[in-house]
Amino acid sequence: MAETEPFSVLFVCLGNICRSPAAEAVFTDLVRKRGAESKFKIDSAGTIGFHEGNPADPRMRAAAKRRGIDVTSISRPIRPSDFWEFDLILAMDMRNREDILSAYGRWRSKEPLPEDASKKVKLMCSFCKKHNEAEVPDPYYGGLQGFEKVLDLLEDACESLFDSIMAEKSQTSVS
Ligand code: 4NP
């Protein structure tokens, strides 16, 4: 049976030290538990480079660790090549989505980028089934409860994200 290309997902927030590294870790953990590592490429980035090179916020790492999930990624800003390399770019909030799209517009006026890139930028919460929130709220300036809320939303969204990608993969697979 021919193995198809991995499906690539990039999670994006503002600083890439709270929400998107947690999303990367939650989704990686889920993919591993479902035995589907070879089918996915998973990464995260920020719309700003202010925290570049830093590990995730200790509050986010501790909250995820209590749920048995290690957040290990190092912050980096989104870059033009991400629009070639990723099939799906998931923004944590509407501002992130706008910033991703405006960066795409700026970069595209200077270098070739795929034409349909704006279609691959979606909101993380559009995959939530158990929550009605439209956005994953920024927990950075708030209390510890905010980090738990982020993880609740991410766990919900990641479950149906996984299911929807696998369903799409099975439809497009020619093997
Ligand atoms: P994140 O959270 O976008 O979920 O990583 C933030 C991290 C840093 C800042 C704001 C939000 N900051 O202002 O530095």
Side-chain angles (χ1 to χ4, degrees), residues 53-72:
N54 292 338
D57 187 300
R59 296 166 296 174
M60 191 78 255
R61 283 189 280 138
K65 191 77 188 162
R66 286 194 290 275
R67 299 183 191 211
I69 294 167
D70 285 321
V71 179
T72 56

Side-chain angles (χ1 to χ4, degrees), residues 45 59 83 89 115-116 134 150:
R59 296 166 296 174
F83 289 98
I89 298 175
E115 278 188 19
D116 61 348
V150 166

Side-chain angles (χ1 to χ4, degrees), residues 13-21 48 50-51 96 138-141:
C13 60
L14 178 68
N16 192 215
I17 55 166
C18 296
R19 293 164 292 172
S20 61
I48 58 169
F50 186 73
H51 298 279
N96 301 151
D138 184 350
Y140 191 69
Y141 293 106

Side-chain angles (χ1 to χ4, degrees), residues 6 11 21 31 36 82-84 115 130 135 146 148 151 157 162 170:
F11 298 99
V31 163
D82 289 328
F83 289 98
W84 291 112
E115 278 188 19
K130 300 172 194 150
E135 305 181 299
E148 299 299 333
L151 289 168
F162 180 84
S170 73

Side-chain angles (χ1 to χ4, degrees), residues 35-52:
E37 287 119 304
S38 64
K39 294 182 165 62
F40 288 90
K41 171 179 152 182
I42 305 164
D43 198 1
S44 66
T47 57
I48 58 169
F50 186 73
H51 298 279
E52 185 168 10

